[in-house]
Amino acid sequence: MTLNVLGWAAPAAKAPMAPWSFERRDPRPDDVVIDIDYCGVCHSDLHNVQNDWGRSTYPMIPGHEIIGRVSAVGSQVTKFAVGDRVGVGCMVDSCFACDPCEDGEEQYCPHCVYTYGHTDPKDGRVTYGGYSEKIVVTERFVLKAPETIDPASVAPLLCAGITTWSPLRHWNVGPGSKVAIVGLGGLGHMGLKLAKALGADVTLFSRSPGKEADARRLGADRVVISTDAGQMAAVVDTFDLIIDTVPYVHDVNPYIPTLTTDGTLVLVGYLGPLEPALDTAPMVFRRKAVAGSLIGGIRDTQEMLDFCGEHGIGADVEVIRMQDIDAAFERLKKADVKYRFVIDMATLRA
Ligand code: NAP
Ligand code: ZN
């Protein structure tokens, strides 16, 4: 049974998105077939569509914040049944033999298969993402999604949620922690919500004074305008953890003095050499660290979804029609989204 599926693809770098029909693989015995209801629009989709990272292949069907319902299961599937509300994030397979896989950190597996634009070594086929009607995924990479939260608001948890949850948990954030988030977009707004729900004192660094009221509603105790030297000076030696979600090259140096001794700034947004160069002196003299972090493992993703279910946490979303995806990408470039676009897949054939 090969599945013919309609999706929306980038035909080439910087070309408008357009409908495109393709085949999903024949479901394997451990596969779950999912009818997709909503898919979030991550800034990584925009980077990939534009080939910002130089490794895109086309046609590309983006989308790794997928929420849907199970429509079929293979004979060996034990965790899911037809009708279950499920999610799929940025990964669809890994080797299950390496140290990261054994530690539940499949995102660091050298053979991790990304949800789109990647070749699946099991069959040599390119993966296609969630801007489509259906997806076929091994049950090991399918998540149980909370039924109590609007599914459109759950979709962004599969990337924006876990990408901020993972460093918050890795660096043991809880009551008494002082956390700052840089940039109020999709990742940033989830970072505020999750850090607050974990009991931390939370600050937003933003370039955008107009986002202050929203930031406070989303969980920020304090908003610091990062271009205001006086406001930056007022928070020197404050934060145990800073999660920097800025997508483009930017000066990280002004944030380092705001870390406490032993504090860590985690880069999750920008990929590439930093400009201007990082001054190591403030790091050396106060044992401060600059780190990176990639999404999060499947166990942690399930933990985060369960936590969000218990605490009633979903993303703040702007639900869009599939046909409006290019306009959404344009707004994302201007940091103009409140705070995640989510595509309603019911509009795919409209
Ligand atoms: P987004 O919704 O576009 O938000 C990014 C925010 O960063 C903007 O709202 C803006 O906030 C700030 N910003 C944008 N351009 C800036 C600039 N030139 N200088 C300073 N601040 C700027 O993006 P997103 O979906 O949250 O994704 C953020 C980044 O994380 C992307 O690069 C994405 O590829 C990456 N990502 C990484 C992972 C991972 O696993 N590491 C996972 C998902 C996404 P203000 O207006 O408040 O300044
Ligand atoms: Zn993403």
Side-chain angles (χ1 to χ4, degrees), residues 42-44 47 53 159 163 183-188 206-208 211 245-248 250 268-270 293-295 332 335 337 340:
C42 179
H43 206 110
S44 301
H47 287 308
W53 296 323
C159 176
T163 301
L184 187 54
L187 268 55
S206 175
R207 309 158 304 167
S208 310
K211 292 182 180 176
T245 75
V246 173
Y248 299 103
H250 61 292
V268 296
Y270 175 65
S293 183
L294 180 68
I295 41 176
L332 216 48
V337 52
R340 195 58 136 188

Side-chain angles (χ1 to χ4, degrees), residues 264-282:
T264 302
L265 181 143
V266 187
L267 291 157
V268 296
Y270 175 65
L271 288 182
L274 288 172
E275 289 172 30
L278 200 55
D279 178 0
T280 58

Side-chain angles (χ1 to χ4, degrees), residues 80-342:
F80 300 98
V82 170
D84 286 354
R85 165 74 64 212
V86 292
V88 176
C90 303
M91 310 178 277
V92 287
D93 215 341
S94 68
C95 80
F96 288 101
C98 67
D99 288 347
C101 282
E102 283 183 10
D103 293 342
E105 304 269 24
E106 300 89 353
Q107 73 277 25
Y108 301 123
C109 167
H111 307 289
C112 175
V113 181
Y114 298 130
T115 303
Y116 65 86
H118 214 166
T119 301
D120 183 344
K122 285 192 177 135
D123 57 15
R125 296 168 77 128
V126 173
T127 56
Y128 297 113
Y131 296 7
S132 61
E133 296 171 308
K134 291 173 187 285
I135 192 164
V136 180
V137 182
T138 173
E139 71 166 333
R140 300 172 89 158
F141 283 82
V142 179
L143 286 308
K144 287 185 195 296
E147 291 272 5
T148 48
I149 304 173
D150 170 16
S153 301
V154 178
L157 303 181
L158 275 304
C159 176
I162 184 59
T163 301
T164 47
W165 177 260
S166 176
L168 291 170
R169 298 287 285 153
H170 182 79
W171 275 276
N172 297 313
V173 165
S177 305
K178 292 203 163 174
V179 173
I181 306 290
V182 187
L184 187 54
L187 268 55
H189 96 290
M190 286 313 307
L192 294 182
K193 289 188 184 208
L194 294 172
K196 192 68 193 168
L198 286 168
D201 176 90
V202 187
T203 296
L204 173 73
F205 284 115
S206 175
R207 309 158 304 167
S208 310
K211 292 182 180 176
E212 178 160 354
D214 281 352
R216 290 185 183 279
R217 178 178 55 76
L218 293 163
D221 298 290
R222 193 177 304 99
V223 176
V224 174
I225 299 303
S226 53
T227 49
D228 182 320
Q231 291 193 30
M232 294 298 279
V235 289
V236 161
D237 292 335
T238 302
F239 305 112
D240 306 306
L241 181 71
I242 300 176
I243 303 177
D244 182 334
T245 75
V246 173
Y248 299 103
V249 68
H250 61 292
D251 189 0
V252 174
N253 290 296
Y255 300 103
I256 308 294
T258 73
L259 288 169
T260 53
T261 302
D262 280 325
T264 302
L265 181 143
V266 187
L267 291 157
V268 296
Y270 175 65
L271 288 182
L274 288 172
E275 289 172 30
L278 200 55
D279 178 0
T280 58
M283 295 159 63
V284 169
F285 280 101
R286 296 285 296 281
R287 202 164 56 194
K288 296 177 179 183
V290 173
S293 183
L294 180 68
I295 41 176
I298 291 298
R299 182 186 58 220
D300 289 351
T301 308
Q302 191 61 63
E303 176 192 70
M304 177 272 310
L305 287 168
D306 295 346
F307 179 91
C308 288
E310 281 160 29
H311 291 78
I313 298 172
D316 282 31
V317 300
E318 295 190 51
V319 177
I320 61 167
R321 301 180 317 143
M322 187 72 253
Q323 294 76 6
D324 296 331
I325 184 63
D326 287 317
F329 282 152
E330 286 307 311
R331 283 186 53 197
L332 216 48
K333 287 182 200 168
K334 295 184 222 147
D336 172 26
V337 52
K338 293 191 171 181
Y339 278 89
R340 195 58 136 188
F341 293 116
V342 172

